[in-house]
Amino acid sequence: MNNSTSDDEDQGGEVFLDENDIVHEFTVDDEEEPDDSMHIFTGHTGELYTVSCSPTDAALVATGGGDDKGFLWKIGHGDWAFELQGHKDSVSSLAFSRDGQLLACGGFDGLIQVWDISSGNLKCTLEGPGAGIEWVRWHPRGHLVLAGSEDSTVWLWNADKSAYLNMFSGHGSSVTCGDFTPDGRTICTGSDDASLRIWNPKSGENIHVVSGYPYHTAGLTCLTISSDSTLALTGSKDGSVHVVNITTGKVVSSLRAHSDSIECIGLAVSSPWVATGGMDKKLIVWDLQHSSPRCTCEHEDGVACLSWLGASRYLATGCVDGKVRIWDSLSGDCVRTFSGHSDAIQSISMSANGEFLVSVSLDGTARVFEIAEFR
């Protein structure tokens, strides 16, 4: 980031904050829980919804929330923050491009702003959706931005050229989750209409619609895709997880053990396991080869988000009770509980070097926890 600031309301501006504004020293009395965080970002003035760590700069973090703002800030640099201005409603989703050069910032105002990280300039504003942005994703190899909207449409743009490429219509309700396959050749999207749709990015053709028996009976909430681009795994409000063959559009297996809405899903990097978290207060690690639970990890409240810690055996969960927990997927044991937040965790992200986990909460703060021992 450079040190220039701009009067243009759509441009960001560096904000230099007194150290006391960002990093609080706590005097813990006997009644209060300890704060296990090593850095707290308090630049936001409302609930936080989304966090993304840069894939190339281990210190750089982006956060967004209900104050209609995004911020870039750095772990361990308590006096530096860069405000991502211009949204007129909550910042709902953030994603760095794979090369770390660009940041896409989606809002409930239906706009996506793309920021150039090295210059700090607003590169472009991508328009089209008629309602709020639910999620944003980057193509695995280029500067193409994919986004799903509450208006039931999915949009694709070229961020380098600020150009609209395609709009994918067919879902009957809000598009709650989606992504490119890792090979970049296919798009998978899930909706509140209880369907998964598989698309050709170039032609816009809808290749498959997966819906009805034996698929979900309620809206999809989350989705992940296998590293070989063959399987889409989806979670739903109905408490079930289904595995779909992307080529055929057929449900190949179903994972049933949760008793309430699935909120998050993540594939392990180094084993054929998938983790799911739900409002039934459970994290379940599944063996995909046998479609059976390996272990069930009980929480105090609903599990809102999860992240495998690189290629390690450990994974982190963010919980409605405000705690971040580290779990050993082999034993099913909780090996660390991080306290500090005073309200529900909404999103977590691991730093590029695997040393830090950043969580954002409805309490209006982002907190950084040291996780180097779990690599």
Side-chain angles (χ1 to χ4, degrees), residues 62-245:
T63 50
D67 57 1
D68 307 350
K69 290 175 182 175
F71 276 101
L72 282 169
W73 50 275
K74 291 185 177 179
I75 298 169
H77 299 261
D79 60 344
W80 184 85
F82 185 88
E83 186 178 334
L84 307 169
Q85 299 173 352
H87 280 287
K88 295 171 178 62
D89 204 337
S90 299
V91 173
S92 53
S93 50
L94 292 162
F96 283 94
S97 58
R98 295 293 171 92
D99 57 15
Q101 293 177 4
L102 301 176
L103 174 69
C105 190
F108 286 146
D109 56 7
L111 301 177
I112 293 169
Q113 293 188 325
V114 178
W115 295 86
D116 184 297
I117 295 301
S118 61
S119 70
N121 292 329
L122 179 65
K123 185 175 177 67
C124 57
T125 299
L126 306 173
E127 301 180 58
I133 304 298
E134 288 273 5
W135 50 269
V136 291
R137 296 287 185 274
W138 289 91
H139 190 276
R141 286 183 301 281
H143 287 168
L144 305 183
V145 179
L146 183 70
S149 172
E150 292 175 322
D151 72 357
S152 77
T153 60
V154 180
W155 294 71
L156 180 64
W157 299 269
N158 181 323
D160 285 332
K161 299 177 179 176
S162 308
Y164 158 85
L165 294 178
N166 240 324
M167 190 264 283
F168 308 88
S169 62
H171 280 298
S173 188
S174 180
V175 187
T176 52
C177 51
D179 208 345
F180 292 99
T181 52
D183 63 13
R185 294 177 182 168
T186 308
I187 290 167
C188 299
T189 59
S191 168
D192 217 21
D193 67 7
S195 78
L196 173 75
R197 285 178 180 256
I198 299 165
W199 313 84
N200 180 319
K202 287 186 176 163
S203 68
E205 178 197 357
N206 192 177
I207 304 163
H208 296 295
V209 182
V210 187
S211 65
Y213 183 83
Y215 201 53
H216 297 294
T217 57
L220 277 68
T221 55
C222 53
L223 170 156
T224 189
I225 300 171
S226 61
S227 58
D228 63 2
S229 300
T230 62
L231 301 174
L233 295 87
T234 56
S236 163
K237 292 176 181 175
D238 66 11
S240 69
V241 177
H242 293 293
V243 183
V244 175
N245 180 308

Side-chain angles (χ1 to χ4, degrees), residues 282-346:
K282 289 182 174 67
L283 166 74
I284 301 179
V285 179
W286 306 81
D287 180 340
L288 277 179
Q289 291 169 330
H290 301 96
S291 298
S292 61
R294 273 190 49 84
C295 58
T296 299
C297 308
E298 301 282 349
H299 289 66
E300 299 290 316
D301 212 330
V303 181
C305 47
L306 68 83
S307 176
W308 287 91
L309 302 184
S312 77
R313 63 201 270 186
Y314 300 103
L315 69 165
T317 55
C319 186
V320 175
D321 69 359
K323 301 286 193 296
V324 173
R325 293 177 175 86
I326 309 295
W327 301 86
D328 183 333
S329 66
L330 295 181
S331 67
D333 294 334
C334 180
V335 292
R336 187 72 204 269
T337 300
F338 291 115
S339 298
H341 286 292
S342 60
D343 206 340
I345 311 291
Q346 298 294 292

